[in-house]
Amino acid sequence: MAAAATRRAASSLVSRCLLGRPAASPAVPSAFRRADGTRGLVPGVLQRFGTAAVAEEPISPPVKVGETKLLINGKFVDAVSGKTFPTLDPRTGEVIAHVAEGDAKDIDLAVAAARKAFDEGPWPRMTAYERSRILLRFADLIEKHNDDLAALETWDNGKTFEQAAHIELPMIARLMRYYAGWSDKIHGLVVPADSPHHVQVLYEPIGVAGQIIPWNFPLLMFAWKVGPALASGNTVVLKTAEQTPLSALYMAKLLHEAGLPEGVVNVVSGFGPTAGAALASHMDVDKVAFTGSTDTGKIIMELSARSNLKPVTLELGGKSPFIIMDDADIDHAVELAHFALFFNQGQCCCAGSRTFVHERVYDEFVEKSKARALKRVVGDPFRKGVEQGPQIDDEQFNKILRYIKSGVDSGATLVTGGDKLGDKGYYIQPTIFSDVQDGMKIAQEEIFGPVQSIFKFNDLNEVIKRANASRYGLAAGVFTNNLGTANTLTRALRAGTVWVNCFDIFDAAIPFGGYKMSGIGREKGIDSLKNYLQTKAVVTPIKNAAWL
Amino acid sequence: MASERNGDGGEKRAENGGGGVEMPEIRYTKLFINGSFVDAVSGKTFETRDPRTGDAIASIAEGDKEDVDLAVRAAREAFDHGKWPRMSGSERGKIMTKYADLLEQHAEELTKLESLDAGKLVVVTRAVDIGASVGTLRYFAGAADKIHGETLKMSRQFQGHTLREPMGVAGLIIPWNFPSIMFFTKVAPALAAGCTMVVKPAEQTPLSALYVAHLAKQAGVPDGVINVVTGFGPTAGAAIASHMDVDMVSFTGSTAVGRLVMEASARSNLKPVSLELGGKSPLIIFDDADVDMAVDLAIGANFFNKGEACVAASRVYLQEGIYDRFEKKLADSLKNWVVGDPFDPRVNQGPQVDKAQYERVLSYIEHGKREGATVLTGGKPCGQKGYYIDPTVFTDVKDDMIIAKEEIFGPVMCLMKFRTVEEVIAKANDTRYGLAAGVVTKDIDVANRMTRSIRAGVVWVNCYFAMDADCPFGGRKMSGYGKDASMHALDKFLAVKSVVTPVYDSPWL
């Protein structure tokens, strides 16, 4: 459903941009030579919108900043140190607000509040039905505050307002209703014993959950983490990404308005090495869940190992293959491969960043992908019709530009894009490389930006082998009309999600997570509850049992 | 629960009249078919009566075979071509959540309608019946997006999976003792599964079903998904059970009628049948039990809802050592038990639902006396008007007496004595019913043994009537089969389809 909405939204964005706007002259020179031999931006819509992005004043966000302090035990408080950090507008690099900077001391306070709320508070002790009603009210409030939340998200993150308001926020309300429905359906098994014993399995809340979320989908990740933790009766200390601290504070306020008792959800803004590390290594945190880079995931796991062995779930990086067979509907495949990579400025852990195309359709595919990328509307994410906003910050921006340079240096063909856009903010041209070889850096590392790499293959077994030759295993896309090929690829690809003739379908009920170094555990779906439940077997003799 | 309330001392017996309570306006009296309230094709009506007085409350359209045909056609169309089964589970769930919110908003009016029509205590109806109805709707709203098929472990090169598809048009026939709860116990899982339905409420209590049907429409349930045909069993009920276009039927009521429903299915299209029927449930109280708790549980288990409950613990087995203490305490407690107008908040027990039930219960009481059981309390009607009966306790009941074997469905408790665990297991199971059971003991070994030994759909240990949206409910033996409540309730509204396709060159099987 959400994905259908995504597709609809994507195609309506496309059609809007095709309505034809007057062209403007090239303004931004390119550092790199393109396949077509031109320099600078190719004339057309992209260019015009790129110009617009730089030339026009940023649209004033239709929302006020709101809370900027830490949420601990139901109250917004300053950091113990009194320190703050600026959160920046990715459109300009200018400061939106100064946010309280939590570190180890604040984490201690937040954990103490969560601990008390779990050990003594009403939350795990109320009925599951009562918990579900609070989550249902929360969902209603999210709907009511949809546009404010979306505007805050766009402002802090740079994603398009249309995506935030029409795709992500409805998904988030939907997730909360989904988890509300689970709260009173958490069933253990009564299991048979060999001996005359009666055995019940209880799924108990695990306790205080530490949750560390990334900046690419701040609210959606909030929902993926907090939803299952709350449905199963836990309390939470959540650390937001330092790039995007604002929307989670707004959400947490709504949670309390919905009736959440104080201390059940605590939100600490701050940085990974300080606040994040304190959470992951805290002796009183019973479980930690992290979404972010593979490198940081390793640190989280290590910190758990060095402290109290808290169970860790990790949702990390990816280099997901998107495989287009020669019998696929090419136009559809081009559109979805484009969407799979460029969606959310390419800042998706499951981005289809290795586009494998069968040699028989390769040239056509590259040509059409280029045409599609050139039509991509880049600009102020608050502007209607814009498909791509700025990257999150200068660090990511520069990293992506370095990868683009590496692609050119290693001999890949730059089909389109290849440079930043404008002089202000973190805009990057939609970029495509063709003739990418498996050994290149851009073929192996996660770029996390609007850079599509297109590979050529000629045989099913070959593409399976190449697709799996990655330390990642988050997702995969398969495009074919042949059922046998689809079935073979479905089983052969070592990835947590295989989308067949679709991509980025993210329903609440569909489990999501990675194989290999893309992570541990699954989010969403029934599997996500297990991350927040402790299993207890209860065994008692049964004398003179009527049956065993 | 009623048993926990002790009135204000002494037996106060209000006759009738409502004590100044404003009675609800009766707005819905016609059949609800395809989203509209319509007269019966025949134009006929029947009267629904106030059990406090026997007076008519309203004239209700009397549906018959032709009306059932129209309702089934509407449900068929809504299933075969309509939105309901084609929307996502989460969209259905959202509409159902809204339905629950509306029900909550209209709780006062619905409470009064229900109490008026069924003679139920208004205080209990508000807290229990309507609360449970709202809770059930919310539970299944949350279940609508959690209907999972399975992927299969095939032993050859096949990829297999199961789909759990909505059955289609469901026929739902509900009883008069808990009209709203029973309505939503059947309707909510059917809605969640994506079925469309024809509901026949009992002729004694048609008002609440019609009322909640109009709320379904307000909540956004598409026309034709829920159709309500008020009428009688031998006409409307039989037409549903034998209809060739109804895909399944779920019935709650007596064992005798359950048999007819199953027979009608067998003779028509073999539609799957789910039956929640009568009971003669044992409440077994051991010597080590807390006697106060045991008495409270026994009173609740027998006199709650005037004994009009399929799970009523109408056989109370007492171990020898506790018998006398229990009997005395029970007699004392019942002195404070108030029978009277269900709109009076001081009252513990209202009237039986109608004249037929009233007379039936009194005839069982006469049987008990004739067979030699001793009347400890009650044993007679209460008041001059309406269908009130004194809470009646028989002692010295023998297992082969009619009152120990047949379902009385009224405020009549039978006390029986036992010595050993083995003996009481044998006695408790010596019945053609198997709906529920209660066990009162502090001994974990006795409790564990009893829970496995008693052949019943639910065993309550140191509690009774512990019903819950997430707790499966339904009987064994001649108490029926198929479950209401819980995720199991969805099963009867879903058809399992296996899908198999070859998988080539799979790296694992």
Side-chain angles (χ1 to χ4, degrees):
Chain A
M1 182 198 80
T6 307
R7 277 199 307 277
R8 278 196 301 277
S11 68
S12 72
L13 289 174
V14 175
S15 56
R16 244 180 258 127
C17 97
L18 290 174
L19 287 177
R21 296 155 190 269
S25 58
V28 184
S30 171
F32 309 113
R33 202 152 64 84
R34 290 193 182 72
D36 58 11
T38 61
R39 291 188 72 86
L41 279 169
V42 186
V45 176
L46 166 69
Q47 189 175 7
R48 187 182 107 62
F49 278 90
T51 310
V54 271
E56 290 180 17
E57 273 304 300
I59 293 168
S60 184
V63 65
K64 288 199 174 72
V65 169
E67 300 298 340
T68 57
K69 295 182 179 182
L70 314 178
L71 173 66
I72 296 178
N73 208 23
K75 291 176 189 66
F76 287 97
V77 296
D78 288 317
V80 173
S81 67
K83 284 207 278 185
T84 62
F85 66 97
T87 183
L88 308 179
D89 182 342
R91 299 175 301 165
T92 58
E94 286 161 11
V95 176
I96 301 172
H98 292 275
V99 176
E101 183 183 336
D103 66 28
K105 281 181 182 147
D106 307 286
I107 291 289
D108 280 346
L109 292 175
V111 171
R115 187 81 263 161
K116 188 155 187 281
F118 186 78
D119 292 344
E120 296 161 36
W123 185 247
R125 286 161 191 84
M126 64 174 70
T127 66
Y129 178 59
E130 289 174 87
R131 281 197 294 275
S132 81
R133 296 202 56 196
I134 290 172
L135 292 178
L136 287 175
R137 280 199 290 271
F138 181 40
D140 291 344
L141 286 170
I142 292 169
E143 275 176 354
K144 198 173 141 195
H145 293 260
N146 187 85
D147 286 2
D148 276 0
L149 283 163
L152 207 50
E153 192 82 329
T154 293
W155 196 3
D156 215 11
N157 169 281
K159 66 178 63 209
T160 69
F161 178 76
E162 286 178 336
Q163 177 187 321
H166 303 146
I167 300 171
E168 294 183 27
L169 264 305
M171 274 175 110
I172 290 159
R174 158 82 184 101
L175 274 156
M176 287 305 154
R177 294 202 174 94
Y178 177 77
Y179 283 113
W182 268 130
S183 64
D184 57 2
K185 298 171 188 71
I186 295 172
H187 300 139
L189 294 172
V190 172
V191 299
D194 295 343
S195 50
H197 287 91
H198 173 61
V199 186
Q200 302 184 53
V201 177
L202 298 180
Y203 285 120
E204 301 184 345
I206 197 165
V208 175
Q211 305 186 319
I212 304 174
I213 60 172
W215 47 260
N216 57 340
F217 293 94
L219 284 178
L220 194 62
M221 292 303 109
F222 180 100
W224 284 21
K225 293 279 186 288
V226 165
L230 292 186
S232 42
N234 298 277
T235 62
V236 169
V237 176
L238 178 109
K239 190 197 92 64
T240 47
E242 66 270 22
Q243 294 87 343
T244 53
L246 298 177
S247 56
L249 295 169
Y250 194 120
M251 279 281 265
K253 204 172 162 185
L254 295 183
L255 248 176
H256 287 88
E257 196 179 324
L260 191 79
E262 60 188 30
V264 174
V265 169
N266 305 275
V267 181
V268 177
S269 324
F271 293 82
T274 51
L279 193 54
S281 58
H282 206 289
M283 292 301 287
D284 255 354
V285 170
D286 300 306
K287 187 262 168 329
V288 64
F290 169 76
T291 295
S293 73
T294 295
D295 287 343
T296 307
K298 283 186 185 188
I299 295 172
I300 300 282
M301 202 162 167
E302 228 177 288
L303 291 174
S304 164
R306 288 190 186 162
S307 56
N308 61 347
L309 302 175
K310 56 181 78 64
V312 176
T313 46
L314 301 171
E315 204 271 90
L316 308 174
K319 194 74 189 174
S320 299
F322 189 103
I323 299 168
I324 293 117
M325 302 301 294
D326 55 348
D327 63 351
D329 173 342
I330 292 304
D331 290 337
H332 189 200
V334 164
E335 182 56 37
L336 276 190
H338 175 85
F339 171 68
L341 188 283
F342 291 101
F343 177 62
N344 207 48
Q345 294 72 247
Q347 299 168 152
C348 295
C349 49
C350 60
S353 51
R354 290 186 293 152
T355 311
F356 287 100
V357 182
H358 195 280
E359 60 179 6
R360 270 200 286 272
V361 292
Y362 189 85
D363 293 340
E364 181 190 356
F365 186 92
V366 171
E367 211 39 54
K368 286 181 167 169
S369 293
K370 175 185 169 185
R372 177 63 186 89
L374 287 170
K375 283 181 194 140
R376 187 162 188 84
V377 186
V378 186
D380 190 320
F382 280 107
R383 185 181 307 286
K384 211 170 172 205
V386 164
E387 294 177 276
Q388 182 178 319
Q391 308 307 123
I392 186 75
D393 63 8
D394 65 337
E395 189 187 329
Q396 287 293 321
F397 174 78
N398 289 320
K399 190 174 143 198
I400 294 160
L401 291 177
R402 280 198 301 276
Y403 274 118
I404 291 173
K405 182 166 188 312
S406 156
V408 171
D409 291 348
S410 59
T413 307
L414 183 65
V415 176
T416 183
D419 204 353
K420 66 176 183 172
L421 202 54
D423 297 323
K424 203 169 168 193
Y426 312 124
Y427 294 92
I428 291 181
Q429 296 169 3
T431 298
I432 298 179
F433 284 108
S434 65
D435 306 315
V436 182
Q437 303 304 311
D438 292 352
M440 294 176 181
K441 204 170 166 184
I442 57 165
Q444 296 189 341
E445 296 180 13
E446 186 174 39
I447 299 172
F448 229 64
V451 182
Q452 186 176 22
S453 299
I454 307 182
F455 303 70
K456 193 186 281 184
F457 75 92
N458 61 24
D459 172 74
L460 185 61
N461 287 328
E462 173 208 333
V463 79
I464 290 170
K465 218 166 152 185
R466 289 170 65 192
N468 284 336
S470 165
R471 60 183 181 137
Y472 293 113
L474 193 54
V478 169
F479 255 73
T480 178
N481 285 328
N482 184 307
L483 180 59
T485 306
N487 282 344
T488 298
L489 281 167
T490 304
R491 291 210 175 196
L493 293 169
R494 299 205 183 94
T497 302
V498 179
W499 284 298
V500 181
N501 297 335
C502 59
F503 206 86
D504 278 350
I505 305 293
F506 276 117
D507 286 18
I510 304 175
F512 181 80
Y515 278 38
K516 301 196 267 185
M517 287 174 72
S518 289
I520 301 173
R522 293 292 180 270
E523 299 192 280
K524 303 192 286 116
I526 189 169
D527 299 59
S528 63
L529 297 168
K530 301 252 167 88
N531 298 334
Y532 298 97
L533 294 166
Q534 188 64 272
T535 306
K536 179 186 280 177
V538 182
V539 186
T540 178
I542 171 159
K543 295 177 182 163
N544 304 105
W547 54 270
L548 281 176
Chain B
M1 195 163 294
S3 64
E4 291 162 9
R5 299 177 51 248
N6 281 320
D8 53 0
E11 288 183 70
K12 179 178 288 274
R13 286 170 180 175
E15 285 286 299
N16 59 63
V21 177
E22 196 189 327
M23 286 300 138
E25 186 194 342
I26 312 294
R27 285 187 288 164
Y28 305 102
T29 58
K30 297 183 181 183
L31 315 178
F32 187 72
I33 296 178
N34 209 21
S36 304
F37 286 99
V38 295
D39 289 315
V41 173
S42 67
K44 283 207 280 186
T45 62
F46 66 98
E47 282 172 342
T48 185
R49 294 181 179 276
D50 183 343
R52 301 175 301 169
T53 57
D55 297 342
I57 303 167
S59 292
I60 306 293
E62 183 183 336
D64 200 337
K65 188 174 178 311
E66 284 174 302
D67 306 287
V68 167
D69 281 344
L70 291 174
V72 171
R73 201 171 306 153
R76 189 83 261 163
E77 176 66 22
F79 185 79
D80 291 345
H81 305 291
K83 285 183 290 191
W84 192 249
R86 287 163 189 83
M87 49 174 85
S88 68
S90 64
E91 287 174 90
R92 284 198 298 275
K94 207 171 166 189
I95 291 171
M96 291 171 69
T97 303
K98 188 167 177 212
Y99 192 4
D101 292 344
L102 281 172
L103 202 56
E104 212 165 41
Q105 285 160 30
H106 293 79
E108 261 327 288
E109 199 174 352
L110 185 56
T111 295
K112 286 179 184 170
L113 276 181
E114 182 99 328
S115 297
L116 180 64
D117 214 12
K120 294 163 75 78
L121 302 183
V122 77
V123 179
V124 177
T125 303
R126 188 180 291 129
V128 178
D129 294 69
I130 307 308
S133 299
V134 172
T136 297
L137 252 182
R138 288 210 177 101
Y139 179 90
F140 285 105
D145 57 4
K146 296 172 185 70
I147 296 169
H148 300 122
E150 291 174 313
T151 53
L152 307 174
K153 203 71 183 168
M154 309 281 284
S155 55
R156 286 185 289 153
Q157 297 245 328
F158 287 117
Q159 169 65 42
H161 66 262
T162 58
L163 297 174
R164 292 169 82 209
E165 304 184 339
M167 284 288 285
V169 176
L172 309 174
I173 305 175
I174 59 176
W176 46 260
N177 56 340
F178 295 94
S180 287
I181 292 182
M182 288 299 128
F183 183 93
F184 288 105
T185 295
K186 306 279 188 208
V187 166
L191 286 174
C195 289
T196 62
M197 60 213 77
V198 177
V199 188
K200 192 196 92 63
E203 65 271 20
Q204 293 88 343
T205 55
L207 297 178
S208 56
L210 293 173
Y211 185 84
V212 298
H214 104 275
L215 293 180
K217 187 168 172 128
Q218 273 184 28
V221 176
D223 291 348
V225 173
I226 299 176
N227 303 276
V228 180
V229 178
T230 44
F232 293 83
T235 50
I240 290 171
S242 59
H243 206 290
M244 293 300 288
D245 253 354
V246 170
D247 298 307
M248 66 80 66
V249 64
S250 175
F251 169 77
T252 294
S254 72
T255 295
V257 177
R259 227 187 255 281
L260 296 177
V261 169
M262 198 166 166
E263 229 177 283
S265 162
R267 290 195 182 156
S268 55
N269 61 347
L270 301 174
K271 59 181 74 64
V273 175
S274 159
L275 302 172
E276 203 271 89
L277 308 175
K280 194 73 188 173
S281 300
L283 173 66
I284 302 163
I285 297 160
F286 288 89
D287 281 346
D288 67 345
D290 177 318
V291 73
D292 292 338
M293 178 206 261
V295 167
D296 282 349
L297 288 178
I299 289 175
N302 278 281
F303 302 137
F304 174 61
N305 208 50
K306 344 139 204 176
E308 293 171 345
C310 49
V311 294
S314 49
R315 293 185 292 150
V316 178
Y317 287 101
L318 293 148
Q319 206 163 11
E320 287 179 328
I322 198 171
Y323 190 97
D324 293 343
R325 275 184 294 147
F326 179 91
E327 191 185 285
K328 184 176 181 309
K329 177 90 197 172
L330 177 65
D332 284 349
S333 291
L334 286 176
K335 282 180 190 150
N336 297 323
W337 188 261
V338 184
V339 180
D341 191 309
F343 282 83
D344 182 340
R346 295 165 301 178
V347 160
N348 298 104
Q349 180 187 320
Q352 308 307 121
V353 73
D354 67 4
K355 194 155 185 279
Q357 285 297 319
Y358 171 76
E359 287 171 352
R360 189 158 170 255
V361 174
L362 289 176
S363 91
Y364 273 116
I365 291 174
E366 290 314 310
H367 266 297
K369 292 176 185 167
R370 214 177 308 134
E371 286 179 301
T374 306
V375 176
L376 179 71
T377 69
K380 58 183 190 326
C382 175
Q384 302 301 313
K385 202 172 170 189
Y387 312 127
Y388 296 92
I389 296 176
D390 271 343
T392 299
V393 178
F394 280 112
T395 60
D396 304 315
V397 179
K398 302 284 175 261
D399 291 325
D400 59 352
M401 290 180 183
I402 286 174
I403 55 168
K405 291 166 89 97
E406 295 186 10
E407 183 173 42
I408 298 172
F409 228 65
V412 182
M413 189 191 307
C414 297
L415 303 190
M416 290 171 278
K417 210 177 272 186
F418 72 93
R419 195 171 295 176
T420 65
V421 178
E422 289 74 18
E423 182 195 341
V424 79
I425 290 170
K427 285 179 175 220
N429 284 334
D430 185 20
T431 168
R432 60 188 176 130
Y433 293 112
L435 193 54
V439 173
V440 188
T441 179
K442 289 175 185 147
D443 186 324
I444 191 174
D445 290 329
V446 172
N448 279 342
R449 183 173 177 191
M450 295 304 291
T451 53
R452 292 211 178 195
S453 297
I454 292 177
R455 302 208 180 95
V458 57
V459 180
W460 287 303
V461 182
N462 297 332
C463 57
Y464 210 86
F465 276 123
M467 313 278 237
D468 194 278
D470 196 41
C471 187
F473 180 75
R476 287 165 74 163
K477 300 202 271 184
M478 286 174 68
S479 289
Y481 52 87
K483 293 293 179 192
D484 285 333
S486 85
M487 296 299 274
H488 293 275
L490 291 167
D491 293 344
K492 58 181 178 279
F493 298 110
L494 296 166
V496 176
K497 177 188 281 175
S498 300
V499 182
V500 182
T501 177
V503 54
Y504 304 105
D505 304 316
S506 174
W508 56 272
L509 277 177

